[in-house]
Amino acid sequence: MSPNERKAVINIELFEQIKKGEGKTIEFKEKFPSAEKLIKTIVAFANMAGGKLIIGVTDTGAVIGVEDLDITKQMDRISNILHDSIHPIIIPDIYAQAIKDKTILVVEVYPSPLKPHFLKSIGKRDGTYIRVGATNKKADIEYIQELERQRLNISYDEDFWIEQQEDFDLNSIINILSVHLNREMTEKDLVNLKLLKNELKSFRLTNAVPILLGIYEQVLIKCARFKGETMDVFIDRKEFNGSLFVQLENTMKFLLANINLHGEVGEDFVTRIDEYEIPPESLREAIVNAIIHRDYSMTGSDIKVAVFDSRIEITSPGGLPKGITIEEVLGGRSEIRNKVIVRIFREAKIVEQWGRGVQRIIQLCENKGLKKPDIIESGMFVKFILYRKSDAKSDAKSDAKSDAKSDAKSNEDLYIQKVLFYLQGNKTMSISQAMQVLGLSKSRTNDILKSMVKNDILEKQGLSRATKYILK
């Protein structure tokens, strides 16, 4: 590929990224930002999945460009500010790029192996920033510790259990694993599985033990069956604690009790065949996915399972690990967040082929004639949505209009839920961000947002390109 062809490819890729709007790996600035805003964005990108700060683009994604005469001077200015203000040092790629007849300035940051980065003037505790959705947020002490673990390539469940009880009975974990791994376990096995680790010539338990046993208060699954398509009225709700194995089985029982079971007489006119509207294997795979991939270092957050008339939503704490995208997840890529938990679930034959869980869920649902499941990442949470089968008969032509209206209402409710879910992790939402979250055209997105403003769900702030929406 020639240099000119390479430039053309970069140009097209960058233009496509701009069209998608701001997000966790891209931020727009109309003009050169203040030093403080620049530093926070670069630190946040380096601490997370990397990203591009693009100068010369409005919040709505309009390319307005920067003055050519200022570019060289500003590139040097950016380099000096970052060098003097951030520890450890971050060295991004800074380059000018032509988009049509405009020139923009790109500051490209790569995921750093030297995390956590922070502002020198404030220090690590108060100056560490992370990227949450399309905003930069100050990291709390728990997330700073997580960044330090990432630098050492240690998962949270591999780290030492700090508040371990002195009288803790190892038999409690040995007995549970012996049952689920179907073999007699010993202390040596606990060491091999990294449930016990050597420190200064003595062995200590790791966080995987209180997670597996459900000792930590955040190791919890909350389930609810709601009436209709909103959370206004619930029909049934349960909270499941105990070991992860028990939580998995109880959650499955709850789900199967709250979806439809359809029975038909077989071809021999004697045998009865019962089938759930959603394949139980896909439900189990989705719950397992939430359990093994959630961020257990997030205290005060738990897995939530919500059953609505048209769908099931499984919300898991923690964004996608190591900066992977939803597109990469759908393509089969997977990153291990909880190394010990995953290994134990594999040995227990709960997890089979690694990296195929999401694809298997999608395949099972499509084979059943169901709508393709959705994955939504918002802030520090990931939501998996499985769609239920309609009870309407396909040959009931007289109900077609009613079904269409019901589907439209269901879709609109889903769009509203997506906007609300995004705003749980972000203070504001722009038109471009809403288009990215909803996957809709600008006009259709505007219709949804206007409806939410009219119904006192959202409040509109600003005008024209500066328009933002907040929860009312």
Side-chain angles (χ1 to χ4, degrees):
M1 184 182 291
S2 70
N4 286 337
E5 289 175 328
R6 193 175 295 110
K7 283 183 180 179
V9 170
I10 293 172
N11 192 313
I12 293 170
E13 290 178 349
L14 193 57
F15 186 65
E16 289 299 318
Q17 288 177 323
I18 291 172
K19 278 173 42 177
K20 290 180 180 179
E22 291 183 304
K24 69 178 184 179
T25 59
I26 193 164
E27 181 168 313
F28 303 147
K29 293 295 180 186
E30 288 190 29
K31 55 186 180 181
F32 292 100
S34 67
E36 182 181 3
K37 289 182 179 179
L38 170 69
I39 297 163
K40 288 180 180 179
T41 298
I42 301 306
V43 164
F45 280 152
N47 281 333
M48 301 298 282
K52 294 185 178 79
L53 172 63
I54 304 178
I55 304 170
V57 178
T58 68
D59 285 348
T60 57
V63 179
I64 59 175
V66 295
E67 292 293 333
D68 289 342
L69 296 176
D70 290 338
I71 288 181
T72 303
K73 179 180 177 182
Q74 292 297 339
M75 289 170 70
D76 290 339
R77 174 175 170 249
I78 290 170
S79 294
N80 292 333
I81 289 172
L82 299 182
H83 182 276
D84 295 339
S85 307
I86 299 173
H87 183 81
I89 292 173
I90 298 171
I91 304 177
D93 282 345
I94 306 173
Y95 54 91
Q97 181 71 43
I99 299 288
K100 295 184 178 179
D101 60 339
K102 306 291 184 183
T103 300
I104 59 175
L105 187 62
V106 181
V107 184
E108 185 169 1
V109 183
Y110 301 98
S112 173
L114 302 175
K115 308 169 185 178
H117 294 274
F118 55 89
L119 281 63
K120 286 182 182 178
S121 60
I122 306 176
K124 184 192 295 185
R125 186 179 182 86
D126 295 316
T128 300
Y129 283 81
I130 57 175
R131 192 76 174 171
V132 180
T135 60
N136 305 318
K137 292 191 176 181
K138 188 168 75 170
D140 58 22
I141 189 64
E142 290 175 345
Y143 207 89
I144 292 173
Q145 291 170 346
E146 171 60 21
L147 293 174
E148 290 172 338
R149 281 190 292 270
Q150 289 181 24
R151 185 183 71 238
L152 299 172
N153 196 29
I154 298 174
S155 61
Y156 175 74
D157 60 349
E158 285 181 302
D159 209 352
F160 290 112
W161 181 9
I162 296 175
E163 299 177 359
Q164 176 186 338
Q165 299 101 327
E166 291 183 4
D167 58 347
F168 181 82
D169 184 6
L170 281 181
N171 287 324
S172 58
I173 186 68
I174 288 174
N175 292 339
I176 284 178
L177 292 179
S178 295
V179 171
H180 292 281
L181 272 59
N182 198 28
R183 58 188 172 89
E184 287 297 322
M185 301 292 292
T186 65
E187 285 191 30
K188 184 178 179 181
D189 292 314
L190 298 185
V191 174
N192 292 336
L193 291 170
K194 294 190 177 179
L195 295 162
L196 270 175
K197 282 175 65 177
N198 193 351
E199 184 190 42
L200 301 176
K201 297 183 180 180
S202 65
F203 284 92
R204 290 178 57 195
L205 294 170
T206 62
N207 283 321
V209 173
I211 291 172
L212 280 166
L213 296 178
I215 293 173
Y216 284 152
E217 62 179 13
Q218 68 266 31
V219 184
L220 187 71
I221 300 181
K222 293 180 181 177
C223 301
R225 169 66 171 104
F226 294 98
K227 182 179 180 181
E229 304 298 340
T230 68
M231 295 183 178
D232 294 339
V233 180
F234 69 85
I235 299 171
D236 187 18
R237 61 180 177 183
K238 295 285 191 301
E239 291 186 7
F240 300 122
N241 50 25
S243 76
L244 293 184
F245 305 107
V246 170
Q247 291 186 34
L248 170 61
E249 295 309 315
N250 285 337
T251 302
M252 278 301 299
K253 289 177 183 177
F254 179 90
L255 285 172
L256 296 180
N258 282 285
I259 62 173
N260 297 325
L261 180 65
H262 177 67
E264 290 184 352
V265 177
E267 293 181 357
D268 60 2
F269 299 102
V270 176
T271 307
R272 178 182 172 86
I273 302 172
D274 291 329
E275 286 189 350
Y276 286 99
E277 57 177 317
I278 300 178
E281 300 97 322
S282 65
L283 291 172
R284 187 178 182 85
E285 196 78 51
I287 297 299
V288 168
N289 208 53
I291 289 173
I292 64 175
H293 288 303
R294 67 151 290 182
D295 186 349
Y296 286 101
S297 69
M298 288 178 63
T299 57
S301 298
D302 44 52
I303 295 172
K304 290 181 173 60
V305 177
V307 182
F308 300 93
D309 284 0
S310 67
R311 68 195 187 280
I312 294 173
E313 297 182 352
I314 301 167
T315 304
S316 181
L320 294 174
K322 297 187 179 179
I324 63 174
T325 64
I326 290 174
E327 290 75 19
E328 288 172 329
V329 171
L330 295 174
R333 179 181 169 186
S334 188
E335 292 287 347
I336 301 175
R337 171 175 271 141
N338 301 297
K339 298 177 183 177
V340 182
I341 303 300
V342 165
R343 182 178 174 186
I344 289 171
F345 269 51
R346 286 202 67 174
E347 292 207 17
K349 294 183 171 48
I350 296 173
V351 174
E352 295 179 5
Q353 190 174 0
W354 183 247
R356 294 284 297 170
V358 172
Q359 291 182 328
R360 176 171 164 75
I361 295 168
I362 292 171
Q363 190 64 57
L364 286 167
C365 290
E366 290 184 338
N367 289 346
K368 187 74 173 175
L370 301 173
K371 181 180 175 182
K372 182 180 177 180
D374 277 327
I375 303 175
I376 304 171
E377 183 182 24
S378 179
M380 301 302 290
F381 294 87
V382 175
K383 181 180 290 186
F384 202 101
I385 304 174
L386 296 99
Y387 296 95
R388 303 179 64 181
K389 199 172 186 68
S390 171
D391 290 329
K393 295 181 179 179
S394 59
D395 60 349
K397 294 182 180 179
S398 61
D399 290 339
K401 289 184 179 179
S402 175
D403 288 346
K405 288 181 180 178
S406 176
D407 288 343
K409 179 66 168 63
S410 175
N411 285 336
E412 184 161 339
D413 286 337
L414 177 59
Y415 296 144
I416 291 172
Q417 289 289 330
K418 286 183 176 182
V419 171
L420 294 176
F421 185 63
Y422 178 88
L423 286 171
Q424 288 175 6
N426 302 274
K427 292 182 179 179
T428 65
M429 172 181 261
S430 67
I431 294 290
S432 61
Q433 289 164 348
M435 288 170 62
Q436 186 178 4
V437 168
L438 300 178
L440 300 174
S441 66
K442 188 173 183 178
S443 61
R444 182 69 178 114
T445 300
N446 268 318
D447 289 342
I448 298 293
L449 296 175
K450 285 178 181 177
S451 174
M452 294 179 73
V453 171
K454 183 179 178 181
N455 290 305
D456 288 334
I457 300 171
L458 298 182
E459 180 179 320
K460 182 179 178 182
Q461 296 182 337
L463 298 172
S464 189
R465 293 175 178 175
T467 298
K468 299 283 186 181
Y469 293 87
I470 64 170
L471 288 174
K472 190 165 184 180

